[in-house]
């Protein structure tokens, strides 16, 4: 029984740590090709282990709820690590948010934007948003900030 407990502890620790290790390996960039090959080998190993153990924990019907959460965590971190390394230009979540109007504009690494509004008016988007999010002109209480030409300190 003690060896079974040790095996479960090793599997849980592997599920918890393999995804973050793979994410950390995807953050390391080098120009030395031999180090890059070893980094990619280790990265692929940790992503594979994370996804395999995560699926094993998450999809098993006999696992308790906490073990299923650990499996979901391992699947999520394995997916994030593989997307960061092999598909860095694919932005799924920000483009979905932009389609539903949650953000004004989704921007990829090249600076090209995806319009959130259906009318496609560029003037409206340039006027009220920037590359770093919407430009806030008014305060939340509906009054002017005083620096926009309205109010006592903003008058000309």
């Amino acid at each position: 029984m003690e060896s079974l407990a040790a095996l479960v502890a090793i599997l849980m620790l592997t599920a918890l740590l393999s995804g973050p290790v793979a994410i950390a390996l995807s953050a390391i960039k080098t120009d030395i090709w031999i180090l890059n090959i070893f980094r990619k080998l280790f990265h692929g190993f940790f992503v594979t282990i994370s996804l395999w153990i995560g699926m094993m924990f998450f999809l098993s019907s006999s696992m308790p709820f906490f073990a299923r959460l650990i499996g979901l965590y391992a699947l999520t971190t394995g997916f994030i690590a593989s997307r960061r390394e092999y598909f860095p230009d694919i932005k799924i979540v920000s483009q979905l948010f932009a389609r539903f109007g949650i953000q004004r504009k989704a921007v990829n690494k090249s600076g090209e934007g995806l319009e959130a509004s259906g009318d496609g008016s560029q003037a409206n988007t340039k006027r009220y948003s920037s590359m770093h999010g919407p430009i806030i002109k008014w305060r939340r209480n509906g009054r002017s900030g005083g620096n926009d030409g309205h109010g006592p300190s903003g008058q000309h």
Side-chain angles (χ1 to χ4, degrees):
M1 283 307 226
E2 293 162 359
S3 62
L4 180 64
L7 179 67
V8 169
I10 289 171
L11 283 173
M12 290 282 186
L13 189 66
T14 305
L16 287 173
L17 294 181
S18 60
V21 168
I23 290 173
L25 284 173
S26 69
I28 299 171
K29 302 294 179 193
T30 181
D31 292 335
I32 303 171
W33 64 275
I34 191 76
L35 290 177
N36 213 7
I37 289 173
F38 281 120
R39 182 186 64 83
K40 285 193 180 215
L41 283 173
F42 283 120
H43 180 269
F45 173 74
F46 282 118
V47 166
T48 304
I49 293 296
S50 176
L51 292 176
W52 180 59
I53 293 177
M55 274 195 271
M56 186 174 65
F57 282 170
F58 186 67
L59 298 178
S60 178
S61 61
S62 63
M63 286 285 180
F65 181 70
F66 186 70
R68 284 181 165 219
L69 284 179
I70 290 175
L72 181 65
Y73 170 77
L75 283 172
T76 305
T77 55
F79 170 74
I80 290 170
S82 64
R83 191 198 62 79
R84 281 185 60 167
E85 179 69 27
Y86 301 112
F87 312 107
D89 295 330
I90 297 175
K91 304 289 184 188
I92 298 171
V93 176
S94 63
Q95 290 179 359
L96 284 175
F97 284 160
R99 297 243 185 232
F100 290 118
I102 294 174
Q103 286 181 337
R104 193 68 164 165
K105 187 173 163 181
V107 177
N108 59 12
K109 286 188 177 183
S110 64
E112 299 169 357
L114 175 69
E115 291 297 323
S117 59
D119 58 356
S121 60
Q122 288 289 334
N124 222 2
T125 305
K126 287 183 181 178
R127 185 173 156 198
Y128 292 113
S129 69
S130 71
M131 205 169 163
H132 306 291
I135 299 170
I136 298 175
K137 181 178 177 181
W138 299 95
R139 293 185 181 170
R140 291 183 188 259
N141 62 4
R143 299 191 180 268
S144 167
N147 58 355
D148 57 355
H150 303 283
S153 62
Q155 293 177 354
H156 304 316

